PDB file of all heavy atoms in Angstrom:
ATOM      1  N   LEU A 511     -32.156   6.819  12.481  1.00 86.00           N
ATOM      2  CA  LEU A 511     -30.901   6.893  11.722  1.00 86.00           C
ATOM      3  C   LEU A 511     -29.935   5.788  12.144  1.00 86.00           C
ATOM      4  O   LEU A 511     -29.246   5.184  11.298  1.00 86.00           O
ATOM      5  CB  LEU A 511     -30.253   8.259  11.919  1.00 86.00           C
ATOM      6  CG  LEU A 511     -30.970   9.438  11.245  1.00 86.00           C
ATOM      7  CD1 LEU A 511     -30.412  10.761  11.745  1.00 86.00           C
ATOM      8  CD2 LEU A 511     -30.829   9.340   9.724  1.00 86.00           C
ATOM      9  N   ILE A 536     -23.194  -8.683  -3.305  1.00 95.00           N
ATOM     10  CA  ILE A 536     -22.596  -7.660  -2.446  1.00 95.00           C
ATOM     11  C   ILE A 536     -21.101  -7.960  -2.272  1.00 95.00           C
ATOM     12  O   ILE A 536     -20.739  -9.081  -1.902  1.00 95.00           O
ATOM     13  CB  ILE A 536     -23.287  -7.618  -1.073  1.00 95.00           C
ATOM     14  CG1 ILE A 536     -24.788  -7.314  -1.241  1.00 95.00           C
ATOM     15  CG2 ILE A 536     -22.637  -6.584  -0.170  1.00 95.00           C
ATOM     16  CD1 ILE A 536     -25.580  -7.408   0.051  1.00 95.00           C
ATOM     17  N   ARG A 606      -8.509 -11.100   4.230  1.00 91.00           N
ATOM     18  CA  ARG A 606      -7.502 -10.169   3.706  1.00 91.00           C
ATOM     19  C   ARG A 606      -7.688 -10.008   2.199  1.00 91.00           C
ATOM     20  O   ARG A 606      -7.852 -10.991   1.479  1.00 91.00           O
ATOM     21  CB  ARG A 606      -6.092 -10.685   4.007  1.00 91.00           C
ATOM     22  CG  ARG A 606      -5.810 -10.795   5.492  1.00 91.00           C
ATOM     23  CD  ARG A 606      -4.554 -11.643   5.746  1.00 91.00           C
ATOM     24  NE  ARG A 606      -3.361 -11.021   5.223  1.00 91.00           N
ATOM     25  CZ  ARG A 606      -2.546 -10.229   5.921  1.00 91.00           C
ATOM     26  NH1 ARG A 606      -2.823  -9.952   7.180  1.00 91.00           N
ATOM     27  NH2 ARG A 606      -1.460  -9.708   5.372  1.00 91.00           N
ATOM     28  N   TRP A 732     -20.171   3.540   3.372  1.00 95.00           N
ATOM     29  CA  TRP A 732     -20.162   5.003   3.454  1.00 95.00           C
ATOM     30  C   TRP A 732     -21.543   5.554   3.819  1.00 95.00           C
ATOM     31  O   TRP A 732     -21.658   6.520   4.586  1.00 95.00           O
ATOM     32  CB  TRP A 732     -19.692   5.598   2.132  1.00 95.00           C
ATOM     33  CG  TRP A 732     -18.205   5.581   1.961  1.00 95.00           C
ATOM     34  CD1 TRP A 732     -17.477   4.845   1.096  1.00 95.00           C
ATOM     35  CD2 TRP A 732     -17.262   6.363   2.706  1.00 95.00           C
ATOM     36  NE1 TRP A 732     -16.132   5.096   1.234  1.00 95.00           N
ATOM     37  CE2 TRP A 732     -15.966   6.037   2.205  1.00 95.00           C
ATOM     38  CE3 TRP A 732     -17.366   7.318   3.713  1.00 95.00           C
ATOM     39  CZ2 TRP A 732     -14.806   6.609   2.709  1.00 95.00           C
ATOM     40  CZ3 TRP A 732     -16.206   7.899   4.217  1.00 95.00           C
ATOM     41  CH2 TRP A 732     -14.943   7.538   3.712  1.00 95.00           C
ATOM     42  N   TYR A 785      20.791  29.857   2.387  1.00 98.00           N
ATOM     43  CA  TYR A 785      21.016  29.669   3.813  1.00 98.00           C
ATOM     44  C   TYR A 785      20.072  28.625   4.398  1.00 98.00           C
ATOM     45  O   TYR A 785      19.073  28.230   3.778  1.00 98.00           O
ATOM     46  CB  TYR A 785      20.855  30.996   4.554  1.00 98.00           C
ATOM     47  CG  TYR A 785      21.754  32.092   4.034  1.00 98.00           C
ATOM     48  CD1 TYR A 785      21.234  33.182   3.326  1.00 98.00           C
ATOM     49  CD2 TYR A 785      23.131  32.034   4.234  1.00 98.00           C
ATOM     50  CE1 TYR A 785      22.060  34.183   2.846  1.00 98.00           C
ATOM     51  CE2 TYR A 785      23.972  33.035   3.748  1.00 98.00           C
ATOM     52  CZ  TYR A 785      23.433  34.096   3.056  1.00 98.00           C
ATOM     53  OH  TYR A 785      24.261  35.080   2.569  1.00 98.00           O
ATOM     54  N   PRO A 824      28.121   3.629  14.424  1.00 97.00           N
ATOM     55  CA  PRO A 824      28.246   4.237  15.755  1.00 97.00           C
ATOM     56  C   PRO A 824      26.914   4.502  16.448  1.00 97.00           C
ATOM     57  O   PRO A 824      26.907   4.983  17.587  1.00 97.00           O
ATOM     58  CB  PRO A 824      28.955   5.558  15.448  1.00 97.00           C
ATOM     59  CG  PRO A 824      28.437   5.940  14.093  1.00 97.00           C
ATOM     60  CD  PRO A 824      28.264   4.631  13.348  1.00 97.00           C
ATOM     61  N   ASP A 874      25.340   9.714   5.948  1.00 98.00           N
ATOM     62  CA  ASP A 874      25.775   9.314   4.612  1.00 98.00           C
ATOM     63  C   ASP A 874      25.074   8.005   4.241  1.00 98.00           C
ATOM     64  O   ASP A 874      25.054   7.059   5.037  1.00 98.00           O
ATOM     65  CB  ASP A 874      27.285   9.112   4.578  1.00 98.00           C
ATOM     66  CG  ASP A 874      28.051  10.428   4.519  1.00 98.00           C
ATOM     67  OD1 ASP A 874      27.543  11.425   5.077  1.00 98.00           O
ATOM     68  OD2 ASP A 874      29.138  10.462   3.920  1.00 98.00           O
ATOM     69  N   SER A 985      16.210  17.792  -9.421  1.00 96.00           N
ATOM     70  CA  SER A 985      17.448  17.007  -9.469  1.00 96.00           C
ATOM     71  C   SER A 985      18.587  17.706  -8.738  1.00 96.00           C
ATOM     72  O   SER A 985      19.745  17.317  -8.886  1.00 96.00           O
ATOM     73  CB  SER A 985      17.853  16.748 -10.922  1.00 96.00           C
ATOM     74  OG  SER A 985      18.143  17.954 -11.605  1.00 96.00           O
ATOM     75  N   PHE A1022      31.501  23.314   5.400  1.00 98.00           N
ATOM     76  CA  PHE A1022      32.671  22.453   5.392  1.00 98.00           C
ATOM     77  C   PHE A1022      32.261  21.122   6.032  1.00 98.00           C
ATOM     78  O   PHE A1022      32.100  21.039   7.253  1.00 98.00           O
ATOM     79  CB  PHE A1022      33.826  23.092   6.157  1.00 98.00           C
ATOM     80  CG  PHE A1022      34.452  24.261   5.446  1.00 98.00           C
ATOM     81  CD1 PHE A1022      35.232  25.179   6.130  1.00 98.00           C
ATOM     82  CD2 PHE A1022      34.252  24.459   4.084  1.00 98.00           C
ATOM     83  CE1 PHE A1022      35.810  26.258   5.491  1.00 98.00           C
ATOM     84  CE2 PHE A1022      34.818  25.539   3.425  1.00 98.00           C
ATOM     85  CZ  PHE A1022      35.596  26.438   4.124  1.00 98.00           C
ATOM     86  N   GLY A1085      40.162  19.675  23.708  1.00 97.00           N
ATOM     87  CA  GLY A1085      40.047  20.835  24.593  1.00 97.00           C
ATOM     88  C   GLY A1085      40.092  22.148  23.836  1.00 97.00           C
ATOM     89  O   GLY A1085      39.341  23.080  24.150  1.00 97.00           O
ATOM     90  N   THR A1150      29.043 -19.808  -5.334  1.00 84.00           N
ATOM     91  CA  THR A1150      29.554 -19.220  -4.096  1.00 84.00           C
ATOM     92  C   THR A1150      28.586 -18.164  -3.590  1.00 84.00           C
ATOM     93  O   THR A1150      27.823 -17.575  -4.365  1.00 84.00           O
ATOM     94  CB  THR A1150      30.936 -18.567  -4.335  1.00 84.00           C
ATOM     95  OG1 THR A1150      31.363 -17.919  -3.133  1.00 84.00           O
ATOM     96  CG2 THR A1150      30.856 -17.528  -5.453  1.00 84.00           C
ATOM     97  N   THR A1197      21.653  -9.103 -12.110  1.00 96.00           N
ATOM     98  CA  THR A1197      20.665  -9.118 -13.186  1.00 96.00           C
ATOM     99  C   THR A1197      21.324  -8.789 -14.524  1.00 96.00           C
ATOM    100  O   THR A1197      20.995  -9.391 -15.552  1.00 96.00           O
ATOM    101  CB  THR A1197      19.533  -8.115 -12.893  1.00 96.00           C
ATOM    102  OG1 THR A1197      18.889  -8.471 -11.670  1.00 96.00           O
ATOM    103  CG2 THR A1197      18.494  -8.118 -14.007  1.00 96.00           C
ATOM    104  N   LEU A1199      24.296  -9.558 -15.301  1.00 97.00           N
ATOM    105  CA  LEU A1199      25.026 -10.760 -15.690  1.00 97.00           C
ATOM    106  C   LEU A1199      24.083 -11.805 -16.280  1.00 97.00           C
ATOM    107  O   LEU A1199      24.404 -12.428 -17.306  1.00 97.00           O
ATOM    108  CB  LEU A1199      25.768 -11.330 -14.481  1.00 97.00           C
ATOM    109  CG  LEU A1199      26.593 -12.599 -14.716  1.00 97.00           C
ATOM    110  CD1 LEU A1199      27.575 -12.414 -15.861  1.00 97.00           C
ATOM    111  CD2 LEU A1199      27.339 -12.989 -13.433  1.00 97.00           C
TER     112      LEU A1199
END
Side-chain angles (χ1 to χ4, degrees):
L511 289 168
I536 301 174
R606 298 165 65 93
W732 280 111
Y785 304 110
D874 283 31
S985 63
F1022 288 162
T1150 176
T1197 300
L1199 180 54

